[in-house]
Amino acid sequence: MIPALPQAEVERALAELAEQGCARLGVAIPEAVLGPLRVRCDELMLGKVKYEGLFFQADSDTGAYGDLTFGKGWVGPRLTYRKLEKLELDPLFRALMESEPYWQVVAARGGRERSLYRATLFNKVAHGGTYLPWHQDGGRFWGIDRDPTLQLWCALDDARPPPLSLSLAPCTLASTAPVLP
C-alpha cells in the first residue's frame, strides 16, 4: 500500500505547478513499492512476464536518436529497450497509477474523473543509451483530440545528472501541468 501524501505537500506542489508549470513532490512512493517495479521492468524487458499489446522500442546501438528503429517492437530479451508502453496492462504498474498519491493530485486538480493518456517506461541504460532531443509529445501527435491537462511522472531509480536524465524547462509545460512524484 502506498500512503497518502500530507495535504500541505499536495497544496505546496499545486501552488508550484500553477506558478512554474511543473512541480516536484519528492519521494512519494516507498522503496517497498519501487523495488518490485524495478524488478518488473527487467522481467518485462527479458520476456519473463508478457502482456498482449505491450509496446517495446529498442535503444539504438550508437546512442544516436537518428539511428533508432521504429515499428519492430519486441526484438528478444534485452535490458536495453528505451521505451515500453501500455504499462497499465501490468497489475503492479496499474496499482501504482491507482495509488492514493496520484488520486490526491488528480482530485485536487478538479475531481476524481480521469483518463489514461500513456503509461510508459522510459529506460536509460547504465552505460550508453540514446540521447533524446528536447520535445513534447502532445495529444494530437498520438491521435487524441486534445493535449493532456495533467501528467504524472515517477522515477523508479535515482537519475543521472542532466542532460542524461529527464530535464524540464519551467513554464514550458504549463499547458500540460505535470507533477513529478
Side-chain angles (χ1 to χ4, degrees):
M1 180 170 164
I2 302 172
L5 297 168
Q7 189 58 34
E9 178 63 14
V10 174
E11 291 170 8
R12 183 213 51 80
L14 291 174
E16 183 179 328
L17 174 67
E19 181 181 316
Q20 296 185 26
C22 61
R24 181 181 164 90
L25 288 172
V27 179
I29 311 299
E31 179 60 33
V33 174
L34 294 175
L37 288 169
R38 288 191 290 267
V39 169
R40 182 54 55 91
C41 291
D42 289 352
E43 292 172 338
L44 292 167
M45 289 187 277
L46 294 173
K48 294 178 180 179
V49 175
K50 299 177 182 180
Y51 301 102
E52 183 69 33
L54 198 62
F55 170 88
F56 293 84
Q57 184 182 44
D59 220 338
S60 72
D61 293 329
T62 65
Y65 184 74
D67 291 339
L68 287 172
T69 57
F70 297 92
K72 288 191 175 183
W74 170 260
V75 292
R78 59 195 309 180
L79 295 175
T80 56
Y81 287 99
R82 66 175 289 273
K83 182 168 48 173
L84 280 72
E85 290 192 38
K86 301 282 188 188
L87 292 178
E88 69 273 15
L89 299 171
D90 181 83
L92 292 179
F93 279 100
R94 186 156 195 103
L96 174 67
M97 290 180 261
E98 294 175 346
S99 69
E100 191 58 31
Y102 286 87
W103 275 110
Q104 283 178 275
V105 173
V106 170
R109 285 282 303 205
R112 294 190 68 89
E113 283 190 31
R114 65 187 173 141
S115 61
L116 180 64
Y117 173 56
R118 293 170 71 191
T120 305
L121 168 71
F122 293 102
N123 180 41
K124 283 290 193 181
V125 297
H127 303 287
T130 299
Y131 174 76
L132 180 63
W134 188 93
H135 71 287
Q136 184 173 1
D137 294 341
R140 287 179 178 78
F141 178 84
W142 293 101
I144 301 171
D145 66 353
R146 70 197 80 163
D147 289 339
T149 58
L150 180 69
Q151 294 183 27
L152 302 168
W153 295 71
C154 177
L156 301 181
D157 286 314
D158 291 337
R160 295 186 281 176
L164 301 174
S165 61
L166 176 68
S167 299
L168 296 176
C171 298
T172 62
L173 301 173
S175 66
T176 56
V179 174
L180 308 174

